[in-house]
Amino acid sequence: MLVEQSTLGRIVVPEVLPGGRALFYTTLDFRGRVDAPVARQIADVIRDRFGVEATLATCTQVHGVTVQRASPSPDWQECDSCDALWTAEARVALGIKVADCLPVTLIEGDVIANIHSGWRGTVRGVTAATLDAAPIDPAKAFAYLGPSIRVCCFEVGEEVAAQFDEQFVDRSYAKPHVDIPAFTVHILRTRRFAAERIFDSGLCTRCEGSIFHSFRRDGKGGSNLTVVAQ
């Protein structure tokens, strides 16, 4: 992952991306609150850094499994309650807000998708629901797992741990820790994603010294944005 400076402050960019796509993660430098002027600023970064002209679409996230399709628009649009967006059209950017939850980005052919996967959405199958909704061929697709709280820091109660297969629960700590990225990789591999096309940032938002917002660490604050565009 590459840490770069932008007008949004530091952003983190995957080293490998299909041509004609933009993908980046904002950091503590950006509060993660989107309005029309901020959406235009994000569009400027997409254009200047990646050479892609696109207008931002975001959604009101509710920790569910609803997936919506985003269409081109001259202005920023906030979709109604959902936790995943996809599009098969050019000039569209999809933004997901996270402050410990896992952002999952899918790219295949002319389709992109962005997923907000907290533990509730993960248990309920938001990534699988997105694959069911969007015309993505998993055998040809790329998946990117962005900065999120990792198993090292994601302590949960037994009532949460019980909702996951034990292979994704680390009981070497005083209380159980859940591995959301590993669970998500398992789902992707089950759906025929090639291992070499799954890129996990490995970055923990909660760890001390992290450059990302973390609700678990700070108890308040902004959100990190994951933005994908084409």
Side-chain angles (χ1 to χ4, degrees):
M1 304 294 284
L2 305 172
V3 180
E4 303 178 1
Q5 287 292 334
S6 76
T7 56
L8 301 172
R10 290 168 295 177
I11 61 173
V12 177
V13 181
E15 294 186 43
V16 177
L17 272 178
R21 304 300 197 284
L23 176 58
F24 66 89
Y25 311 97
T26 64
T27 65
L28 281 166
D29 298 338
F30 180 64
R31 300 303 293 172
R33 294 179 174 87
V34 181
D35 55 20
V38 169
R40 288 192 291 271
Q41 188 180 16
I42 291 169
D44 290 343
V45 171
I46 295 169
R47 181 192 64 240
D48 297 342
R49 168 59 177 82
F50 300 93
V52 175
E53 294 280 356
T55 302
L56 183 68
T58 55
C59 55
T60 302
Q61 297 165 198
V62 294
H63 292 275
V65 294
T66 300
V67 183
Q68 290 202 27
R69 182 174 185 175
S71 299
S73 170
D75 302 301
W76 164 59
Q77 54 181 318
E78 175 90 349
C79 298
D80 201 3
S81 301
C82 64
D83 283 272
L85 294 169
W86 71 274
T87 189
E89 299 177 80
R91 304 178 70 86
V92 178
L94 308 176
I96 291 295
K97 296 159 277 188
V98 294
D100 279 326
C101 298
L102 178 67
V104 183
T105 303
L106 308 177
I107 300 174
E108 191 272 310
D110 60 358
V111 179
I112 56 174
N114 230 358
I115 304 164
H116 164 245
S117 187
W119 75 261
R120 292 175 180 83
T122 300
V123 166
R124 295 176 63 188
V126 66
T127 295
T130 305
L131 289 168
D132 291 338
I136 291 173
D137 180 354
K140 300 177 182 178
F142 294 86
Y144 296 84
L145 279 59
S148 69
I149 195 166
R150 299 283 160 157
V151 66
C152 55
C153 294
F154 193 26
E155 178 184 289
V156 300
E158 287 292 347
E159 73 284 358
V160 174
Q163 298 181 58
F164 290 86
D165 189 288
E166 277 296 311
Q167 67 180 305
F168 306 114
V169 180
D170 188 338
R171 296 190 177 276
S172 64
Y173 300 87
K175 293 184 178 180
H177 286 213
V178 168
D179 194 336
I180 298 295
F183 181 99
T184 303
V185 169
H186 173 74
I187 295 300
L188 293 169
R189 294 289 288 132
T190 299
R191 297 296 289 260
R192 297 187 300 112
F193 275 73
E196 64 271 18
R197 288 174 175 256
I198 300 173
F199 299 92
D200 185 356
S201 69
L203 297 171
C204 182
T205 49
R206 168 64 179 78
C207 280
E208 294 300 323
S210 169
I211 64 172
F212 301 99
H213 292 286
S214 169
F215 184 81
R216 279 285 188 111
R217 184 187 64 235
D218 303 326
K220 56 182 176 59
S223 298
N224 313 298
L225 291 182
T226 297
V227 179
V228 63
Q230 64 182 11

